[in-house]
């Protein structure tokens, strides 16, 4: 299975919507890669500076109802084009969550208190996340705040998507 | 234990449960538009699977940017157009015959009670107004939907929303729905079907029910849903009766068949939310999320740069009638929209446009100084035909007020078509004269 996670981008805001992940005016792009430069262009979140914070990241930690709004799969694609393949949040909008797994990426939910702890302990420092979907484990580490290892419950379907690389691969054969 | 309507659709459509709690449903129809479909088509082509499960069950439209505004959107239209021809999809609606998907497809009779359907568009929940399970999906799900005619869902719970009492004059389905979203919050309906019932829904037209269901996703809902009744059968009659497909000889027959698509008395709901509509007044949003709602009366002095009437939420004929009813008496006095503001009307479909012409509504809008555009999503998603400049404020009948949605740095206040028309006249958010406007849009 591919490596999941990387350096963490903390986005301290509820209800980050897919218009913020990728504005509609770029929906006329015809390749997933072309979306990369516009990812999070319109997002304003406390402490977030796009030019400084987005490059080099592999994972996002955010708050409640992440990915709400438009069904555009361009949102996960724009993240992927920037090297991000995991989002961890308190909760997700249904379509975004499914889109992530359909692309073989991970949208993982952690309890509010845990998200709170992640923000208070790790945000503002270089933090790395490693996610092991098979073991159901997620690990955060930084030089200053040390290591935090957490169990992660990932459903059968979600695991199958991460393993197979997505829904098309799975369903085209089965149906 | 009884079942909800959504559960009944799931149980009659399930073809596989490959994992715990994952239901793969057989789809009755799949809708497509030019923004989310071309990448699915390209991916299928690249994988050597350029096929569709059934060309008769696929309906496609160019609506988001119509007509094309630049080379890239022209390519998207071309990709959809060529695919429709190649696959023999006869129900393909090009510009001139098109309309915003969620207004067009119901108008063509493509949605029926008991259907399971998907589209690569979050407001697909609109079609639940006909007693269907209708859900927005991403491009990957759409790809499998057009190829195999199936889509996977976790079985959603049902949230019952009872709209009690009656809507006072000047208060519309949009106001009722803003009250619902405000009560649920943006994530309050996630993984839930929002089932609308109660006397207000019973007496509501299909257009009004579509407005309710359209915004289910703004509370996170998977689908809106209303129980089919005589209003539904009347609306569908041209398609299902002897003049149409001849499925039923009489409306009673149709109703008897459709009555199986309703929730049982003892169905189990995740939650029941009751709203007394008799005490509602015109509402508007004030922030960057659709659950930030307050009475227009309490909005204070909000000067508006643009008024936009249109979209899959409120661009139907009834909406145009309601707005025109507010404008007409003033227009007759020679009054126009406020001079420091511009107003746009985008009828949701070609047929809505034609009906508005026949009824003399377009004349009223034009005399009032509205720019009347062709049917398109256009400014609703900030792609064309009325994009805001930074710092501008728009009073809009659409469904989403996210920051930047209609253009970077722009602010949107969602409201009903009547409130938007009143705002256009006043130049600031207002409901002046709307309750005095004649009911039913006589102008
Ligand atoms: S009118 Fe707006 S909300 Fe409706 S389908 Fe078009 S872009 Fe989406």
């Amino acid at each position: 299975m591919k490596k999941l996670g990387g350096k963490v981008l903390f986005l301290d805001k509820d209800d980050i919507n897919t218009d913020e992940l990728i504005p509609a005016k770029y929906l006329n792009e015809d390749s997933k890669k072309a979306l990369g430069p516009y990812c999070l262009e319109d997002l304003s979140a406390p402490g977030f500076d796009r030019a400084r914070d987005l490059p080099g990241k592999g994972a996002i930690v955010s708050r409640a109802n992440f990915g709400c709004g438009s069904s555009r799969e361009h949102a996960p694609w724009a993240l992927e084009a920037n090297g991000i393949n995991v989002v961890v949040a308190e909760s997700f909008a249904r379509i975004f969550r499914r889109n992530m797994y359909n692309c073989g990426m991970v949208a993982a939910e952690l309890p509010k208190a845990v998200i709170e702890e992640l923000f208070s302990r790790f945000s503002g420092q270089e933090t790395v996340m490693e996610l092991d979907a098979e073991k159901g484990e997620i690990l955060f580490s930084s030089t200053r705040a040390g290591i935090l290892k957490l169990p992660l419950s990932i459903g059968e379907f979600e695991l199958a998507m991460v393993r197979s690389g997505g829904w098309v691969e799975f369903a085209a054969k089965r149906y | 234990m009884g079942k909800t309507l959504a559960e009944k659709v799931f149980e009659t459509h399930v073809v596989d449960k490959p994992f715990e709690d994952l239901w793969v449903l057989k789809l009755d129809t799949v809708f497509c538009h030019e923004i989310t479909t071309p990448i699915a088509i390209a991916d299928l082509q690249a994988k050597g699977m350029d096929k569709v499960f059934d060309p008769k069950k696929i309906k496609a439209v160019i609506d988001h940017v119509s007509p094309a505004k630049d080379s890239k959107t022209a390519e998207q239209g071309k990709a959809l157009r060529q695919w429709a021809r190649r696959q023999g999809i006869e129900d393909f609606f090009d510009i001139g015959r098109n309309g915003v998907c969620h207004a067009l497809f119901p108008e063509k009779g493509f949605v029926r009670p008991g259907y399971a359907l998907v589209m690569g568009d979050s407001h697909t929940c609109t079609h639940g107004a006909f007693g269907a399970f209708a859900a927005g999906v991403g491009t990957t799900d759409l790809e499998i939907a057009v190829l195999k005619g199936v889509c996977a869902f976790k079985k959603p719970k049902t949230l019952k929303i009872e709209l009690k009492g009656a809507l006072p004059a000047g208060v519309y389905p949009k106001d009722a729905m803003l009250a619902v979203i405000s009560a649920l919050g943006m994530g309050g309906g996630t993984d839930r079907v929002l089932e609308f019932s109660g006397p207000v829904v019973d007496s509501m037209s299909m257009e009004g029910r579509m407005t309710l269901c359209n915004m289910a996703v703004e509370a996170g809902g998977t689908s809106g849903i209303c129980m089919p009744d005589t209003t539904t059968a009347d609306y569908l009659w041209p398609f299902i009766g002897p003049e149409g497909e001849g499925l039923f000889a009489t409306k009673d027959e149709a109703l008897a068949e459709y009555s199986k698509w309703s929730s049982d008395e003892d169905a189990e709901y995740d939650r029941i939310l009751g709203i007394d509509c008799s005490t509602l007044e015109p509402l508007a949003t004030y922030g960057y999320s659709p659950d930030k709602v307050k009475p227009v009366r309490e909005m204070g002095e909000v000067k508006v740069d643009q008024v936009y009437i249109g979209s899959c939420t409120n661009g139907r004929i009834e909406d145009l009638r309601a707005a025109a009813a507010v404008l007409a008496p003033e227009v007759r006095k020679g009054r126009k929209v406020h001079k420091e503001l511009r107003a746009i009307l985008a009828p949701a479909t070609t047929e809505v446009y034609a009906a508005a012409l026949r009824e003399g509504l377009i004349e009223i809008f034009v005399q009032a100084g509205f720019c009347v555009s062709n049917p398109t999503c256009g400014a609703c998603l900030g792609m064309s035909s009325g994009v805001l400049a930074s710092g501008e404020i728009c009073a809009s009948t659409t469904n989403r007020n996210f920051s930047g949605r209609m253009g970077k740095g722009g602010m949107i206040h969602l409201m009903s078509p009547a409130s938007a028309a009143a705002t256009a006249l006043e130049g600031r958010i207002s409901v002046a004269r709307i309750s005095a406007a004649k009911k039913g849009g006589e102008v």
Side-chain angles (χ1 to χ4, degrees), chain A residues 27 29 73 98 174-175, chain B residues 16 72 76 139-140 148 152:
Chain A
L27 301 185
E29 294 296 344
E73 203 161 305
R98 170 60 58 84
R174 190 169 171 117
Y175 302 105
Chain B
D16 189 19
K72 284 181 177 174
Q76 290 177 307
T139 295
T140 301
K148 301 285 180 180

Side-chain angles (χ1 to χ4, degrees), chain A residues 13-20 23-32 34-35 38 40-44 65 68-74 77 91-95 97-99 101-103 109 154-161 163 166-175, chain B residues 15-20 22 24 35-36 39-40 43-44 47 49 69-70 72-73 75-76 119-122 135-141 143-145 147-148 150-154 186-187 190-191 217-218 220-223 288-289 291 381-383 400 402-405 407-408:
Chain A
K13 192 173 174 246
D14 285 341
D15 305 314
I16 289 181
N17 63 62
T18 53
D19 277 74
E20 287 168 322
K25 63 177 181 229
Y26 303 117
L27 301 185
N28 56 9
E29 294 296 344
D30 60 0
S31 82
K32 301 179 182 181
L35 301 167
Y38 314 116
L40 296 174
E41 187 181 88
D42 283 352
L43 178 71
S44 77
N65 199 31
C68 59
S70 158
S71 64
R72 62 190 69 156
E73 203 161 305
H74 305 69
W77 298 337
S91 59
F92 291 93
R94 175 190 62 90
I95 306 175
R97 185 176 186 281
R98 170 60 58 84
N99 286 344
Y101 285 106
N102 278 348
C103 295
E109 271 146 19
I154 180 160
E156 284 177 10
F157 165 70
E158 287 77 8
L159 190 58
M161 291 304 102
R163 276 191 192 133
W167 177 238
V168 173
E169 287 66 21
F170 180 90
K173 275 189 223 116
R174 190 169 171 117
Y175 302 105
Chain B
V15 289
D16 189 19
K17 287 187 195 169
F19 304 101
E20 53 169 2
L22 191 82
V24 177
I35 298 293
T36 50
I39 290 190
D43 197 55
L44 287 173
K47 293 187 166 119
M49 300 187 288
K69 69 174 170 109
D70 55 19
K72 284 181 177 174
T73 51
E75 290 297 334
Q76 290 177 307
M119 176 171 197
D121 192 284
S122 63
V137 296
T139 295
T140 301
D141 274 338
E143 198 172 319
I144 290 301
L147 181 70
K148 301 285 180 180
V150 298
C151 195
F153 292 93
K154 275 196 197 164
M186 261 178 102
T190 302
D191 287 326
V217 70
E218 304 310 330
T222 306
S223 179
Y288 291 117
S289 65
D291 58 351
L381 80 166
M383 278 192 92
R400 245 172 219 158
F402 296 164
S403 173
R405 169 83 178 174
K408 198 176 177 111

Side-chain angles (χ1 to χ4, degrees), chain B residues 51-74:
Chain B
K51 283 181 294 206
V52 299
F53 78 109
D54 183 348
K56 287 198 174 53
K57 290 185 177 165
I58 296 178
K59 320 286 174 187
V61 64
I62 294 178
D63 64 348
H64 273 57
V65 186
S66 140
K69 69 174 170 109
D70 55 19
S71 306
K72 284 181 177 174
T73 51

Side-chain angles (χ1 to χ4, degrees), chain B residues 121-139:
Chain B
D121 192 284
S122 63
H123 293 101
T124 307
C125 50
T126 312
H127 307 283
F130 290 82
F133 172 77
V137 296
T139 295

Side-chain angles (χ1 to χ4, degrees), chain A residues 76-163:
Chain A
W77 298 337
L79 295 177
E80 197 176 25
N82 282 281
I84 293 170
N85 57 22
V86 179
V87 181
V88 170
E90 193 185 317
S91 59
F92 291 93
R94 175 190 62 90
I95 306 175
F96 176 82
R97 185 176 186 281
R98 170 60 58 84
N99 286 344
M100 287 286 285
Y101 285 106
N102 278 348
C103 295
M105 300 158 76
V106 172
E109 271 146 19
L110 287 175
K112 191 181 171 85
V114 177
I115 295 287
E116 198 53 62
E117 189 190 345
L118 289 173
F119 270 96
S120 62
R121 195 166 147 184
F122 292 101
S123 70
Q125 6 171 342
E126 189 169 302
T127 303
V128 174
M129 169 206 289
E130 288 166 52
L131 188 145
D132 189 328
E134 296 290 349
K135 269 201 228 155
E137 223 171 63
I138 188 164
L139 191 134
F140 293 88
S141 63
S142 80
T143 351
R144 211 162 6 114
I147 294 176
L148 179 67
K149 195 151 100 176
L150 298 160
L152 187 76
S153 78
I154 180 160
E156 284 177 10
F157 165 70
E158 287 77 8
L159 190 58
M161 291 304 102
V162 177
R163 276 191 192 133

